[in-house]
Each structure stands twice: as structure tokens, then as C-alpha cells.
Amino acid sequence: KVLLVGATADAVVPPEHTERYAVLLRQAGVAHRVVQIEGADHTFTLPGYRTAMLAAVTAWFRETLAG
């Protein structure tokens, strides 16, 4: 299982890269989830972006490890 977390305002790794990787995972039959944090930059600089990213990662770990 793979979690892809992207940032829509990322100047280092464009959001399109996240989506392309998701396509490859889908084609390979790999379970995955894509989360794009709207407006976030590459390092999730603002507290709201970081909070959203951490919430997504925490939720994914809880779901993945639970079952």
C-alpha cells in the first residue's frame, strides 16, 4: 500500500508527477491513495498545510495498520 501526498503549489515536484505515479501504481495493481494538499508548497511551509498533510498521513497509517 502506498500513500502519495502532493502539494498543488509545489515548484519542486509538480502535482502532475504525483498523478503520473498513481497511474503506474494503478496499472501495476498496487493499492494506493493520492492526497493533494491544495495551495501547499513543497515543504508544506504554512501551518495549515502541514496540519493537513499530517492528518492525511496519520489517517492513512491508522487505516493501513488496522487492517
Side-chain angles (χ1 to χ4, degrees), residues 19-30:
E19 296 302 327
R20 280 191 285 192
Y21 191 47
V23 168
L24 294 174
L25 291 170
R26 191 175 308 108
Q27 290 172 346
V30 176

Side-chain angles (χ1 to χ4, degrees), residues 4-9 14-19 34-40 44:
L4 302 172
V5 180
T8 63
E16 297 80 23
H17 288 198
T18 305
E19 296 302 327
V34 176
V35 176
Q36 292 283 5
I37 307 300
E38 190 66 37
F44 302 93

